[in-house]
Amino acid sequence: MPAGRRENTVLSLIGATRVVEIAAGGGTIAVKAEYLQPGGSVKDRAARAAIEGARARGALRPGQTVVEMTSGNMGAALAVVCDALAHPFVAVMSEGNSPERARMIRGLGAEVILVPQVDGTAGCVTGGDIGAAAERARAVAREREAFYVDQFNNPDCFAAHERTTGPELRTAYPRLDAFLACVGTGATLIGTLRDLKRSQPQLIGVAVEPFGAAVLGGATVTKPAHILQGTGYGSTPPLWDAGLVDAFVTVSDQEAADERAALGRRGLYVGFSSGANVAAARALLASGRLRANAIVATILCDTGLKY
Ligand SMILES: Cc1ncc(COP(=O)(O)O)c(C=O)c1O
């Protein structure tokens, strides 16, 4: 996005994010500032692709209401996109997500329905809480004859990263050693790896998981509640592609919180999953698995203002 360019829609502010480099363990962590998009998170790309895709296929009619179950970030992203394309939007959220998220979605002009938690606590949303919110969201979509985005089962969300995040990283770095990300739906990690691995087959794909809920790496759930909101739900997401993922790194709440605080002190005010991604990148660089001067790319998922 060249400085001084004029835009006639907020949709133009989605994507084309910048990368900041952090020196670590004899290598470089390249962090992509996804949190600087209008909805404040990486989800803006998925939301735009889901709505534009559904409109193009005729699955979403002009003016039709859109409903989604969200941890908050997809809700803010859809609020931005739906407003730009004149669709009323209803976000259905677990009450356990931080109140700042509901406030932002309402501020963006959307309706928010909060669903009581099943087994999590405030700030710690479990797979059970997500299940309850998803059930309610489907019911609301039926009642209102709305389009249900269904981000966990929506291939458009994955394609968004394959079409945009991957190519943007490739343009910045013709040779990356690894790409890693926390996993909610898996759209960010899997979609980006789909693109990157086509031209950079040496690249290692890494899933970042919360300690105690690292099911993708083969562990059982011993601690379903953790602070990495929007990720680590203790089950394999429906569109997961195990063939693209070469390694798994587990991050504790303390490590994610410490790294998040360190990022804040560098001028990068982001949320806990961003802290987890950078902590995991440090661990990977320290592991000795990568060449000297390796470059590890990851995502700063959302703004710290949402917590
Ligand atoms: C803060 C945060 N980090 C990471 C993710 C994971 O993104 P994805 O659903 O693309 O796996 C999400 C998803 O909602 C999120 O809200």
Side-chain angles (χ1 to χ4, degrees), residues 165-189:
T165 316
E168 288 170 29
L169 278 170
R170 256 193 296 122
T171 306
Y173 296 98
R175 187 194 151 109
L176 278 170
D177 293 276
F179 176 73
L180 52 79
C182 283
V183 178
T185 64
T188 307
L189 181 66

Side-chain angles (χ1 to χ4, degrees), residues 43 71 73 101 182-188 229-231 273 301-302 307:
K43 286 291 179 178
S71 68
N73 279 332
R101 295 170 178 225
C182 283
V183 178
T185 64
T188 307
Q229 286 179 42
T231 84
S273 64
C301 311
D302 69 351
Y307 296 83

Side-chain angles (χ1 to χ4, degrees), residues 5 33 41 48 85 93 128 158 168 184 208 229 231 239 242 252 271-272 283 300-301 304:
R5 199 170 115 178
S41 89
R48 182 179 187 178
L85 297 174
M93 290 174 67
F158 287 63
E168 288 170 29
V208 180
Q229 286 179 42
T231 84
L239 299 182
S252 70
F272 293 105
L300 297 180
C301 311

Side-chain angles (χ1 to χ4, degrees), residues 208-235:
V208 180
E209 298 196 272
F211 174 80
V215 292
L216 301 170
T220 51
V221 178
T222 54
K223 184 179 167 294
H226 54 79
I227 61 171
L228 308 187
Q229 286 179 42
T231 84
Y233 295 122
S235 61

Side-chain angles (χ1 to χ4, degrees), residues 62-256:
Q64 190 180 3
T65 298
V66 173
V67 173
E68 180 61 334
M69 185 282 294
T70 167
S71 68
N73 279 332
M74 187 62 158
L78 283 165
V80 168
V81 174
C82 287
D83 187 64
L85 297 174
H87 294 281
F89 172 57
V90 184
V92 181
M93 290 174 67
S94 167
E95 235 166 28
N97 291 298
S98 53
E100 289 80 358
R101 295 170 178 225
R103 194 164 62 210
M104 178 173 180
I105 297 169
R106 290 192 179 109
L108 286 165
E111 179 182 342
V112 177
I113 296 174
L114 293 176
V115 179
Q117 287 188 274
V118 178
D119 56 354
T121 52
C124 293
V125 178
T126 66
D129 297 334
I130 289 294
E135 199 178 310
R136 181 73 189 282
R138 284 183 195 278
V140 172
R142 276 195 302 274
E143 282 159 22
R144 306 206 189 178
E145 297 182 357
F147 172 71
Y148 185 51
V149 176
D150 200 4
Q151 55 174 319
F152 279 85
N153 292 290
N154 192 326
D156 285 341
C157 300
F158 287 63
H161 291 286
E162 185 176 359
R163 270 201 317 266
T164 66
T165 316
E168 288 170 29
L169 278 170
R170 256 193 296 122
T171 306
Y173 296 98
R175 187 194 151 109
L176 278 170
D177 293 276
F179 176 73
L180 52 79
C182 283
V183 178
T185 64
T188 307
L189 181 66
I190 297 301
T192 306
L193 285 176
R194 239 175 229 154
D195 172 76
L196 289 178
K197 283 201 165 194
R198 266 199 297 271
S199 59
Q200 303 194 13
Q202 82 291 341
L203 176 142
I204 296 174
V206 184
V208 180
E209 298 196 272
F211 174 80
V215 292
L216 301 170
T220 51
V221 178
T222 54
K223 184 179 167 294
H226 54 79
I227 61 171
L228 308 187
Q229 286 179 42
T231 84
Y233 295 122
S235 61
T236 304
L239 299 182
W240 185 244
D241 184 346
L244 289 172
V245 183
D246 307 290
F248 302 85
V249 177
T250 303
V251 176
S252 70
D253 283 356
Q254 192 61 55
E255 288 165 327

